[in-house]
Amino acid sequence: MNVNGAHFRTIWLHPDDTAVIQIIDQRHLPHQFIIENLTTVAEMARAIRDMHVRGAGLIGAAAGFGMYLAALAAPRDGFLAHTLTAAQELKATRPTAVNLAWAVARQLKVLDGAPPEQRIQTALNTAQAIADEDADFCRRIGEHGVSLLADISRRKNGEPVNILTHCNAGWLAFVDHGSATAPIYVAHDQGIAVHVWVDETRPRNQGARLTAWELGQHGVPHTVIADNAGGHLMQRGLVDIVLTGTDRTTYTGDVGNKIGTYLKALAAHDNDVPFYTALPSSSFDWQIEDGVRQIPVEQRDAAEVRMIQGLHDGEIKQVLLTPPDSPAVNYAFDVTPSRLVTGLITERGICPASAEGVLGLFPEKRKG
Ligand code: MRU
């Protein structure tokens, strides 16, 4: 995707040093564009935990490269034990996005079978494959999802299609293209008029900071709104479709996503606004059926609720919002039950949010 006209991915191998992974440190966006070098598993784990990188697909790609860094540092004797420890360290960073455990498991499986002299190259190839696949699947999500926006545009005789999105399921949350934003970028590039309502997405404001920035970089018309505005806009007929991403979706169609998504789905349901979730297959949980009960919901530091970050006098500052002694709690995700989800947009096409719909697109995942 474009940053001031230049193409970037969110994570890549340093072009001159194969022992270094480079990332865009998202903590500083939109005010500063900073590239960070990572050379150890501990640094990669910290980058995931403290959200230098975030978003389901990118967390998976970061874990893939983290396992490569582990392979580089592992002794020849005890290689697998070393990589198993690294796997635990990476998996412990963030619990909700299923891509993390998926990428680590994929690396462990290939490393277990690789001849000792080829392990490092195998780990690098696998990390690159995870990243390339993520970008390619998101590109395909865009190609499938654009049909939804084109249909609405036709119905509105070319008037702008108003899309509401929550949090950041854009290219910053993946390796490239994004999931929820991919159809929007394709539509915009095809000349379909679109306008995006960007939920600010408290407490970390991934919408206001990241989605608004990347849409702006691509020239997509957008407006940032307070999280609480969505229901009102839907009642007024100002939202044609809700498009979100997901950190973990059960194969039965329950959608785990950034806190507040469930409320948007309820409002969409009440106002007959279609609610779609876009995801690469790496974000499906093929094991659990009941997302509301079984998707692990991360609780983060309450300071993220009590404080807010912004630019003041040219410097990024944190300020306190609450009385100093008021306790706060920070649930980072919620789960939208499948009955509120109109459909899922995947790299293989669009399907109903149900086991039948999902397994129809991914028949190899049927059990028994
Ligand atoms: O806590 P984050 O920023 O890692 O959360 C991820 C998100 O940005 C959203 O939940 C997103 O919609 C799904 S990730 C593609």
Side-chain angles (χ1 to χ4, degrees):
M1 273 295 160
N2 292 334
V3 180
N4 300 326
H7 179 261
F8 272 88
R9 282 185 164 190
T10 51
I11 190 164
W12 62 94
L13 186 70
H14 192 296
D16 302 319
D17 187 348
T18 55
V20 178
I21 304 303
Q22 297 193 289
I23 58 165
I24 300 169
D25 185 345
Q26 300 188 17
R27 293 171 305 165
H28 309 290
L29 289 172
H31 308 301
Q32 294 170 342
F33 184 78
I34 293 177
I35 292 172
E36 184 179 9
N37 289 345
L38 304 172
T39 56
T40 65
V41 177
E43 285 175 1
M44 186 64 84
R46 187 168 58 95
I48 298 172
R49 188 183 319 104
D50 296 346
M51 295 175 67
H52 310 201
V53 289
R54 27 70 48 205
L58 178 53
I59 290 173
F65 279 113
M67 290 299 290
Y68 162 62
L69 293 175
L72 274 182
R76 198 180 162 89
D77 293 331
F79 179 92
L80 288 177
H82 181 94
T83 49
L84 273 175
T85 306
Q88 293 312 328
E89 185 176 352
L90 289 165
K91 280 202 293 186
T93 52
R94 298 197 69 195
T96 302
V98 72
N99 303 59
L100 175 54
W102 167 85
V104 167
R106 182 165 163 177
Q107 280 280 25
L108 285 177
K109 190 168 172 205
V110 293
L111 290 176
D112 195 26
E117 65 285 0
Q118 285 173 24
R119 283 167 171 160
I120 290 174
Q121 192 59 44
T122 300
L124 177 57
N125 293 347
T126 306
Q128 302 270 33
I130 290 170
D132 289 347
E133 220 172 82
D134 185 78
D136 186 50
F137 285 4
C138 285
R139 186 184 58 74
R140 289 199 237 168
I141 285 170
E143 286 171 1
H144 292 297
V146 72
S147 63
L148 298 170
L149 305 181
D151 284 350
I152 297 170
S153 171
R154 266 192 297 278
R155 280 206 307 275
K156 292 183 75 174
N157 294 320
E159 286 296 304
V161 179
N162 286 308
I163 303 142
L164 184 140
T165 193
H166 191 69
C167 200
N168 174 260
W171 69 269
L172 286 165
F174 290 87
V175 174
D176 206 347
H177 304 288
S179 57
T181 53
I184 299 171
Y185 290 131
V186 174
H188 177 78
D189 292 348
Q190 288 181 359
I192 296 171
V194 291
H195 165 260
V196 185
W197 296 112
V198 177
D199 283 355
E200 60 180 344
T201 322
R202 280 283 291 149
R204 287 187 67 107
N205 296 305
Q206 290 96 324
R209 296 193 304 110
L210 305 177
T211 305
W213 180 75
E214 60 161 272
L215 290 172
Q217 289 288 329
H218 200 85
V220 177
H222 62 279
T223 307
V224 179
I225 51 172
D227 286 328
N228 299 330
H232 171 72
L233 294 176
M234 291 184 214
Q235 282 178 326
R236 293 279 166 107
L238 294 172
V239 180
D240 297 306
I241 185 168
V242 179
L243 275 182
T244 76
T246 175
D247 301 86
R248 183 185 299 234
T249 286
T250 64
Y251 73 92
T252 55
D254 295 336
V255 171
N257 196 44
K258 184 54 57 185
I259 192 79
T261 305
Y262 173 47
L263 290 174
K264 295 300 142 69
L266 284 170
H269 187 71
D270 196 43
N271 290 282
D272 290 325
V273 174
F275 180 104
Y276 281 87
T277 293
L279 71 162
S281 50
S282 51
S283 295
F284 277 115
D285 189 322
W286 303 102
Q287 308 304 324
I288 61 177
E289 289 185 3
D290 182 345
V292 175
R293 284 169 199 269
Q294 293 176 290
I295 291 178
V297 169
E298 177 181 10
Q299 277 195 54
R300 296 184 61 81
D301 193 333
E304 293 180 352
V305 174
R306 299 174 68 242
M307 315 278 293
I308 199 158
Q309 172 180 303
L311 190 68
H312 182 67
D313 283 345
E315 270 181 60
I316 296 180
K317 296 214 167 108
Q318 303 261 351
V319 295
L320 182 65
L321 287 170
T322 61
D325 298 329
S326 288
V329 65
N330 187 4
Y331 295 100
F333 300 93
D334 62 24
V335 180
T336 299
S338 60
R339 67 187 163 80
L340 299 176
V341 181
T342 313
L344 302 172
I345 311 168
T346 78
E347 74 268 16
R348 291 197 190 167
I350 302 175
C351 69
S354 64
E356 207 178 313
V358 173
L359 294 173
L361 282 185
F362 298 90
E364 72 277 17
K365 297 292 181 186
R366 284 188 197 277
K367 293 173 190 132

